Structure formats: C-alpha cells, structure tokens
Amino acid sequence: MGRPAQHERAIVLHRNRLRESDAIVDALIEDGSRISFVARGALKPSNPFAARLDLFGVCDVMLAPSRGLAIVSEARLAAAHAPLRSDIIRNAAAAPILDALRRCAHEDLPVPRLFPMTEAILDHLSTCEEIVLCPLTAAYLLKLFALLGFRPSLDTCIDCGQSLLEDNPTDEVRFSYIDGGALCYDCAASHVHVALSLHTLNWAHALSLMTFDEVEQADCDIDTAFHVLHLCHSWLRGALGVNLKSMNFLLSCGLF
C-alpha cells in the first residue's frame, strides 16, 4: 500500500529549474522545518502553479510521495505578498529573509515558532512604510538567530558576564563574530574582535526584543538599521560561514 498524500502549509523560499518547465521548490512548512518538492509545469506562465508557488507566497499544498522528492498535486494560494516581488525596494529588503531561511532552516528539524514569525514579517514588509523596511529585516534576522540557537550576546560580555549597555564609559564595544558576541575591554584581549559602536549594539539588542509592530513605531533611522544589518551579515559569516548574496545587494544597492 502506497504512502498517503501529505498536506502542508508552506512559504516558498526558492524555485530551481529541474527540466524545461518543471521546478524544485524549497519551502518552509508549518512545523518550522524546510522541505523540497517538485512542481510540474511551474515554470510555464500559463500553469496554475506558476503563480501559486511563487517566491514569498504562503500556500496550501498537497504532496504526493514518489521515489525521489514529493510531487505537488494541488496548491492553493493563501497569501501572495505580491509587493515583495513587484517592488524592487521591498524585494531587496525581504530577499535576505528567504536566503537566510534556505541556509539556516533544515529538513526534519522542526522549529515551531519559525513559520508564524516568518509569515508575520512578510505581512509587515508587504504593507509597511519604506523607512522601516530595513529595521524590520534586521529585527527578523536577530530573532531568527535566537530561535535557531545561535544568538550573539548583545548586552553582556561573553567571558565575564559584565553588562555592556549600561554605564559604559566609552562609545565603543568590542565584538567577536567568531566567539559569540560582545566583550568588555579586559576580556577582549584574548579574542579576535572588532570595535562596534555602542549605539549599534543598543539598537541590535532593542530590535531583537521588539515585536514587529513595535519596530514599525521605533525611531530607528536607516543608517542605524544598516549598521545592525552589517552586524547580522557578519554574524552569519562568523558563526555559520554563510554569505548571503541578497544581503550583499541590500547593503550596496543604493536604493535606501
């Protein structure tokens, strides 16, 4: 007796050509794990799967088992998030989220809060004012690090536990992208580190704790948001060896 079809709600992260008109779709599913499946004809503009399984979309899919990857037999679009594809500025801000999920989320490794958090950020990025796009992306990435278990220490020294955000006599904090985060002056000597502004670290810590609604109301200017995004990008490189091409584009495109 064959295996039953599998129903999943999924967020489309990536589509890769398999044959002339078929695609392999990478998606995040409701339990917070990543899945790959085959969508027949998804690269034909006239095929229903072309729109229903597009990037940033939230969809309900029915997956038929096969000897290799599962094959999608039905797909129903729940939320298109069309502005994230049609608006170049929104696309630039949102693309690192899909890119990070493809590199950090894993098959058969559920992270229960990850799916609703990702669905929420895509909703916010689709409708928010352009000025808060980058702060929202930075906040999501910091929350992603925490959910997946490799959040940097942003407020205390990783060696001695000293608080660094309050009563700091300087405007700089030492930070190790290899060893786990912030360092006090005395402990920094035994680590490979860089100097970060206290302002950037304060905002990174604040954004990691805010809800997305609170981020939209916060007074985080674009320069500060870019400094926090640089921190996130460097943290991914140092902690996981992951270099996000979409983040390189966001930080250098000149759209903001």
Side-chain angles (χ1 to χ4, degrees), residues 56 81-85 87 89-98 117-141 212-213 215-216 229 250 256:
F56 303 105
H81 298 124
L84 303 185
R85 295 187 299 276
D87 185 322
I89 295 178
R90 292 183 190 276
N91 181 270
I97 290 172
L98 301 193
M117 185 178 81
T118 304
E119 198 171 17
I121 192 62
L122 297 181
D123 289 342
H124 278 269
L125 291 175
S126 296
T127 59
C128 70
E129 298 291 333
E130 288 184 2
I131 192 67
V132 296
L133 286 169
C134 288
L136 281 167
T137 298
Y140 176 88
L141 292 174
F212 295 136
D213 286 332
V215 174
E216 285 202 46
L229 286 169
L250 172 59
F256 295 90

Side-chain angles (χ1 to χ4, degrees), residues 180-201:
L183 292 155
C184 69
Y185 180 83
D186 292 332
C187 295
S190 58
H191 296 268
V192 176
H193 65 274
V194 298
L196 290 181
S197 75
L198 184 60
H199 179 74
T200 297
L201 206 64

Side-chain angles (χ1 to χ4, degrees), residues 50-227:
R52 296 174 190 174
L53 296 173
D54 211 346
L55 296 182
F56 303 105
V58 180
C59 51
D60 292 303
V61 295
M62 190 67 72
L63 303 175
S66 70
R67 278 184 280 182
L69 295 175
I71 299 172
V72 63
S73 58
E74 297 179 26
R76 183 177 64 85
L77 189 63
H81 298 124
L84 303 185
R85 295 187 299 276
S86 60
D87 185 322
I88 188 172
I89 295 178
R90 292 183 190 276
N91 181 270
I97 290 172
L98 301 193
D99 207 357
L101 286 168
R102 286 187 63 221
R103 305 296 294 273
C104 298
H106 297 282
E107 295 182 17
D108 302 318
L109 185 62
V111 184
R113 292 167 54 199
L114 185 54
F115 187 93
M117 185 178 81
T118 304
E119 198 171 17
I121 192 62
L122 297 181
D123 289 342
H124 278 269
L125 291 175
S126 296
T127 59
C128 70
E129 298 291 333
E130 288 184 2
I131 192 67
V132 296
L133 286 169
C134 288
L136 281 167
T137 298
Y140 176 88
L141 292 174
L142 290 164
K143 295 174 190 300
L144 177 67
F145 302 156
L147 277 185
L148 298 183
F150 59 100
R151 175 187 181 274
S153 176
L154 299 170
D155 56 342
T156 59
C157 174
I158 59 176
D159 275 4
C160 68
Q162 175 185 334
S163 175
L164 300 174
L165 300 185
E166 297 177 3
D167 301 323
N168 193 314
T170 72
D171 291 330
E172 284 190 346
V173 175
R174 277 69 179 167
F175 196 92
S176 174
Y177 290 110
I178 297 173
D179 295 326
L183 292 155
C184 69
Y185 180 83
D186 292 332
C187 295
S190 58
H191 296 268
V192 176
H193 65 274
V194 298
L196 290 181
S197 75
L198 184 60
H199 179 74
T200 297
L201 206 64
N202 266 307
W203 267 108
H205 183 252
L207 290 172
S208 72
L209 300 176
M210 290 179 184
T211 67
F212 295 136
D213 286 332
E214 289 170 340
V215 174
E216 285 202 46
Q217 300 303 316
D219 187 22
C220 182
D221 62 78
I222 189 64
D223 288 338
T224 298
F226 264 56
H227 285 305

